[in-house]
Amino acid sequence: MQTARNKAWSFTWAIPALALLGAFVYLPLVQNFGFSMVEWDIYSGSQEFIGLENYRKLVDDPIFWSALGNNLLYSVISVVFQVFGALVLAALIESIRSDRWRRALRAIYFVPSAISLTVAGLLFYFIYEPNLGLINFLLDVIGLEGWAQPWLGQESTAMLGIIAMSQWQGFGYSTLLFAVAIQRIPSELHEAASIDGVGPGRRFFMVTMPLVREMTGLMMIVTISGAFQVFNEVMVMTSGGPNNSTQVLVTWLYRSGFVSNDFGYAAAIAMVIFLVTLVIGLVQLWITHKRKVEW
Amino acid sequence: MHTRTRLTAAAFVATSALLLAGCTGGGSGEPVDVTAEPEYSGTLSILSKFAGDPLEPYFEDLAAEYTKKHPDVKFDLIQETDQSIKDKTKTLTASGALPDIYFSWTGDWAENFVGGGLAADLSKVIGPDTEWGKTFGEASLDAFKYDGKYYGVPLYNNGKFMGYNKAIFDEVGIPVPTTFQEMIDSCSPIRNAGYEPIAFGNKDGWPGLHYLQQLFAYNVPADVLKADFVPGTATLDHPGYEKSLKEFKTLVDQCTKSGDGTNGVLYTTAQEAFSAEKAAMYYQEVLEFDTVTAEGNAITADEFGVFKLPVPSDPAGDPDAIEGAPEGYLVNAKSPRAALAVDFMKFVTSKENAAVLASPPYGQPSTVIGAVTNENSSAAVYEGISQVNEASQIVIWLDTVTVPDVAAAWLAGGEAIIGGSSTPEKVLESVRTASDSAR
C-alpha cells in the first residue's frame, strides 16, 4: 500500500514535464496534421477542409520530389563522410602515441564545428563566389583557370557545393564523438589483438568498429535526420536556386508557406519530414538494439 | 536518441503549427474609424522597410520628434530590409500580430491585405479630394486603389534605371546608348578597356525579373500584359515574351562578367563593383542612386548618370513605359489606434519631412507634390523621378504585381535562362502552367 502510494506520488513530479511535452510537442503535431488538410488563407483567416488534397498535390509536385532527392543525396554523402569517414579519422587520431599531437589534431578538426551554420554558409558563399571567391582564385593561381566555375550559380554544382560546406562544418563534431567512444574501449582488447599478430587495419574492423557500434548507430540517426532538416545553409547560400535546383524539403516548405502563402501545403510537407525522420530513427534504433555489443 | 529524434522533428512541425495556430479571423469586426480625433497616448507599432544605413535613422528621428510633440505616445519600431521584410510581414500576418502601420508594395502584395480585411479603408482621409490626399500625386494614390477605395499612404516613388559611369563612358569613347542593340554593342569596347560592362548579381532571383519586366513592357502591348498578370485572364502567348527572354539572355551573356554564373553573385556585390568604378553600368532603382554615390565610394555624384533601359527594335508594347511603383504604408484595419496611426502618417508625409526623405543621404523620392526639387535632391534622383512622373505608364515589379506562384515561376525561369538550363519556350510553358493552376 505504501509502495503504491509512493509510486503515485512520484508520478506527480512528472506531470509538469508531461504537460509541457504534450502542449508543445504532441498537440502541435496533431494540429499540424489538421492544418495539412485545409486550404488556409493567412490574410482572410479562412480555412477550407480539403481532405488529403495537399498530399495528392505533393505527389504531382516535381519540385517536392527534387527536394526529397536532394535530401537523400545529402544523407548519403553525410553518412559517408560524417559517420564512416569520421570514424576512420578518429581511429587514426587515437592511434597516435603523442598526447600533444592527438590533442592538437582533435582541436583542429573540431574548430569548424564551433562556427554556426549561418556563418559557415556565408563564409563558403564568398569562397565559391565566381568573381571574387577563393576557389576560383586558387585555380587561377595554379594554372587551372579552365576549371573555375560559378559554383553556386549553376544547377550542376550548387547542391554539391552546399553539401561540401556542410561536411566541412560537421566532420569535426562526429570525429570528436567517435574519439570519445574509441577511448572507452579497454586497451587490453587492442593489446591482445596485437599480441595475436593482428595488424592495424584488421584491428579497426575486428575490434574498433564492433565496439563503437552504438555510437555509430547514434551518429547515423543524428546525421540522417539532420540531413532531412537542412535549412540554414541552403537559405544563406542559394535560397533554393538557381531554378529550384537546391531546394530541400524544409526550404520548399518555407517557400510554399511564406512565399506562395500556401500554409496547408507547407504543413503537409512538414508531416512528410516528420514521418521520414521518425521512420528512419525507429528502424535504426531497432537495428542498433538488436546488435548491441557488451564487454 | 529515440526521444531526441522525435523531439527535433516534432519541434520543427510544432513551429509551423504554432505559427498557424495564432491566426485570427481576418475581415471580421467593425471597421476602424480613421477619421476620429486621435487619442495621443499608447504605443504605436510600425513595421518599416528602412533597416540599415543610410535609411534607419529616418523613422527613428520622426518617432522621437512625434513623441516630443505628444509625450504620451511611444513607438515600437520594427525595421527590416528589402529582403527580410517579406518574411517578417507574413509571419506577423499569420500570427495575427500585424503592427498598427506596416510597409507594403503595390499590386498583388497590397491586394492580399485589402482582400483579407487587414488594411483600413483610408478613402475618407487620403482620397484625391481630401486635404491630405491633395498633397500627393494622383497616380501615387491610385497605386493603392482597390475597388474604388484608397488603402495606402504612398511614401516614395520608385523606378528602375540604368546607372552609368560618365568617366568610363568618356574614357572608352562611347555615347549613352539610345537603343537596346547599341547598349549591347557598347559592352565589348567597355570590356576591352578593362571594365565590367554591366554589373549584375542575381543570387536572389528578383534582379533578373526587373530586367524582364521592363522588356515585357516594351515588347508586349500594355492591355495584354495587364491581362496576363491576372491568372483568370492570362494567356501568356504573346511573342513579345519570348523576344524579351532572348534579349535578356543576350544582355547577360555579352555584357556581364559572370555570364551564365550570374545566379551565384549577390545584388550588393554588383552594386559595390559599380560603386568602386569596376563596372560601367548597373541597373538600379531610384532609391539606390544616393547609396552608390555615397561618401567613401569611388564614383562621385558628378560621374553618375542614368538612362532608361534602351528600347529594343520593333517594340510591340509601350516604349515610354517605365518599370517601378510607389511604395507605401498601410494602416492595420484592426488597430485600436488607427486614428493615431493616420495622424502619425500625416506627420511623416508633411512637406517638411517629405523633403528630408528626398534629400541625401536618404534619397527616397517622396510622393508628396513639390518635395523633390533640384535643390534638396541629388541630380540623378531628380532626373529619375522626373522621368517616372512623365512616363506614359508605370509597370509594377513582376514579383509583386502577379500572384506568388506565377512570380515564383518567372523567378525560376529567369534563373534557368541565365544558367542556360532552359529555353524561352520552356520557361513560358512553366509560367503558363503556374498561372493555370492559380486560377
Side-chain angles (χ1 to χ4, degrees):
Chain A
M1 191 62 191
Q2 183 64 31
T3 312
R5 210 168 31 235
N6 281 347
K7 274 185 187 170
W9 177 245
S10 59
F11 178 73
T12 58
W13 292 100
I15 289 175
L18 286 173
L20 285 172
L21 202 64
F24 292 106
V25 177
Y26 293 103
L27 177 63
L29 255 177
V30 173
Q31 274 188 306
N32 191 74
F33 181 62
F35 296 144
S36 72
M37 292 193 286
V38 299
E39 193 173 284
W40 191 318
D41 180 353
I42 62 162
Y43 298 99
S44 68
S46 70
Q47 295 173 39
E48 186 191 343
F49 181 76
I50 53 168
L52 297 175
E53 180 59 24
N54 281 324
Y55 292 92
R56 194 202 58 73
K57 195 172 150 189
L58 273 179
V59 176
D60 294 339
D61 181 355
I63 300 174
F64 166 75
W65 291 108
S66 146
L68 185 64
N70 281 337
N71 279 115
L72 285 170
L73 180 68
Y74 216 110
S75 303
V76 171
I77 295 178
S78 296
V79 166
V80 169
F81 280 91
Q82 292 187 37
V83 180
F84 296 109
L87 174 58
V88 171
L89 183 67
L92 284 172
I93 290 174
E94 292 310 307
S95 69
I96 294 170
R97 290 186 185 278
S98 161
D99 273 357
R100 187 181 296 172
W101 273 107
R102 219 166 39 226
R103 279 198 293 267
L105 284 171
R106 275 188 217 137
I108 288 168
Y109 282 107
F110 187 71
V111 164
S113 303
I115 301 171
S116 88
L117 263 174
T118 309
V119 174
L122 266 176
L123 177 72
F124 269 72
Y125 174 79
F126 288 108
I127 288 174
Y128 288 133
E129 217 273 346
N131 303 322
L132 316 163
L134 183 66
I135 293 184
N136 283 357
F137 171 75
L138 290 177
L139 286 170
D140 195 33
V141 167
I142 61 175
L144 293 174
E145 61 274 6
W147 290 17
Q149 305 279 332
W151 302 99
L152 298 176
Q154 61 187 8
E155 295 171 36
S156 55
T157 52
M159 194 68 226
L160 291 172
I162 296 170
I163 294 175
M165 183 286 292
S166 186
Q167 305 316 305
W168 172 86
Q169 205 269 345
F171 193 66
Y173 184 70
S174 312
T175 305
L176 199 72
L177 289 179
F178 275 119
V180 171
I182 291 169
Q183 284 165 20
R184 286 183 61 230
I185 300 172
S187 56
E188 293 85 2
L189 294 175
H190 278 293
E191 285 164 14
S194 294
I195 291 166
D196 288 344
V198 178
R202 279 192 69 200
R203 277 210 306 276
F204 174 77
F205 286 109
M206 305 301 288
V207 180
T208 308
M209 271 190 74
L211 296 181
V212 296
R213 184 174 283 149
E214 281 180 71
M215 178 59 81
T216 309
L218 182 137
M219 290 308 300
M220 293 269 277
I221 293 169
V222 172
T223 305
I224 296 177
S225 61
F228 276 89
Q229 292 167 35
V230 165
F231 180 72
N232 283 5
E233 52 268 59
V234 179
M235 286 309 286
V236 168
M237 294 169 79
T238 62
S239 309
N243 193 19
N244 292 316
S245 62
T246 58
Q247 293 288 0
V248 287
L249 288 176
V250 187
T251 56
W252 192 232
L253 177 159
Y254 167 82
R255 182 169 272 278
S256 302
F258 286 91
V259 178
S260 299
N261 305 328
D262 198 347
F263 279 87
Y265 189 57
I269 300 173
M271 287 310 296
V272 170
I273 297 168
F274 172 68
L275 289 173
V276 167
T277 51
L278 181 68
V279 168
I280 290 168
L282 289 175
V283 168
Q284 286 179 335
L285 276 175
W286 180 70
I287 293 170
T288 314
H289 181 71
K290 291 267 285 182
R291 293 183 181 173
K292 194 170 182 181
V293 176
E294 292 185 7
W295 68 85
Chain B
M1 198 55 231
H2 183 171
T3 310
R4 183 190 153 84
T5 308
R6 287 172 64 179
L7 280 176
T8 312
F12 172 79
V13 180
T15 307
S16 66
L18 283 172
L19 181 71
L20 294 173
C23 285
T24 55
S28 59
E30 289 295 309
V32 290
D33 183 7
V34 293
T35 61
E37 187 63 29
E39 192 181 315
Y40 292 105
S41 64
T43 301
L44 204 52
S45 55
I46 303 172
L47 173 62
S48 88
K49 202 191 75 164
F50 271 34
D53 280 335
L55 301 176
E56 201 152 300
Y58 185 70
F59 268 100
E60 288 172 355
D61 293 348
L62 288 179
E65 272 182 54
Y66 194 81
T67 299
K68 261 187 209 169
K69 290 171 70 175
H70 307 289
D72 291 335
V73 179
K74 308 284 181 238
F75 287 87
D76 179 11
L77 199 51
I78 311 164
Q79 307 229 67
E80 297 290 332
T81 64
D82 189 74
Q83 194 64 27
S84 67
I85 198 161
K86 294 168 186 169
D87 300 339
K88 188 74 175 189
T89 308
K90 289 191 180 177
T91 305
L92 293 172
T93 305
S95 54
L98 265 182
D100 299 310
I101 301 166
Y102 55 100
F103 167 84
S104 178
W105 283 280
T106 54
D108 182 74
W109 185 274
E111 197 169 7
N112 281 321
F113 292 97
V114 172
L118 299 170
D121 176 5
L122 304 177
S123 304
K124 287 179 183 167
V125 287
I126 207 171
D129 298 330
T130 63
E131 193 185 337
W132 189 25
K134 283 176 186 165
T135 64
F136 296 93
E138 196 163 339
S140 302
L141 291 177
D142 283 353
F144 286 103
K145 184 179 171 186
Y146 297 95
D147 291 331
K149 294 174 182 172
Y150 296 84
Y151 289 90
V153 182
L155 192 62
Y156 45 79
N157 221 330
N158 199 3
K160 195 93 177 181
F161 290 87
M162 187 63 84
Y164 74 103
N165 187 315
K166 291 176 183 171
I168 293 177
F169 270 52
D170 285 346
E171 181 189 328
V172 179
I174 50 170
V176 173
T178 53
T179 67
F180 188 79
Q181 191 55 48
E182 272 181 33
M183 187 177 75
I184 300 295
D185 292 342
S186 73
C187 294
S188 183
I190 292 171
R191 197 189 302 277
N192 292 339
Y195 300 102
E196 185 178 358
I198 299 178
F200 181 37
N202 195 49
K203 190 231 168 194
D204 294 312
W206 56 261
L209 294 192
H210 287 186
Y211 276 108
L212 285 176
Q213 182 72 321
Q214 181 68 72
L215 290 169
F216 291 162
Y218 291 152
N219 291 320
V220 179
D223 55 336
V224 177
L225 194 61
K226 198 174 172 190
D228 283 345
F229 291 145
V230 184
T233 53
T235 55
L236 291 153
D237 54 3
H238 192 277
Y241 290 109
E242 203 174 313
K243 180 172 178 270
S244 302
L245 287 162
K246 284 177 183 164
E247 285 162 352
F248 174 55
K249 177 67 172 163
T250 303
L251 182 147
V252 171
D253 288 346
Q254 296 190 25
C255 294
T256 67
K257 187 176 177 184
S258 307
D260 59 9
T262 303
N263 291 322
V265 182
L266 278 169
Y267 185 70
T268 47
T269 304
Q271 190 186 59
E272 282 158 17
F274 181 73
S275 299
E277 298 199 311
K278 290 177 181 166
M281 290 177 269
Y282 168 64
Y283 197 41
Q284 61 200 286
E285 297 168 32
V286 176
L287 309 184
E288 297 169 75
F289 289 178
D290 285 353
T291 307
V292 296
T293 57
E295 204 176 318
N297 290 339
I299 187 168
T300 62
D302 290 340
E303 289 173 331
F304 180 69
V306 295
F307 59 89
K308 227 177 71 164
L309 190 73
V311 182
S313 57
D314 306 322
D318 181 356
D320 297 323
I322 288 186
E323 182 187 20
E327 294 177 0
Y329 285 77
L330 306 179
V331 172
N332 189 343
K334 296 174 181 175
S335 167
R337 291 166 292 277
L340 182 65
V342 167
D343 190 71
F344 177 70
M345 288 313 293
K346 282 181 180 172
F347 172 71
V348 170
T349 54
S350 67
K351 196 157 182 181
E352 186 188 356
N353 288 327
V356 172
L357 184 69
S359 312
Y362 303 119
Q364 312 293 293
S366 170
T367 46
V368 173
I369 295 167
V372 183
T373 64
N374 255 330
E375 286 75 37
N376 67 10
S377 304
S378 63
V381 168
Y382 185 73
E383 186 187 336
I385 215 61
S386 300
Q387 286 198 44
V388 169
N389 291 336
E390 288 161 14
S392 58
Q393 59 161 322
I394 307 296
V395 186
I396 300 175
W397 320 109
L398 189 52
D399 53 341
T400 59
V401 71
T402 187
V403 298
D405 282 351
V406 177
W410 276 123
L411 195 115
E415 289 174 344
I417 285 287
I418 289 172
S421 63
S422 191
T423 60
E425 296 83 1
K426 283 183 183 166
V427 168
L428 280 168
E429 200 181 310
S430 69
V431 175
R432 274 185 218 115
T433 304
S435 185
D436 290 346
S437 304
R439 275 181 186 172

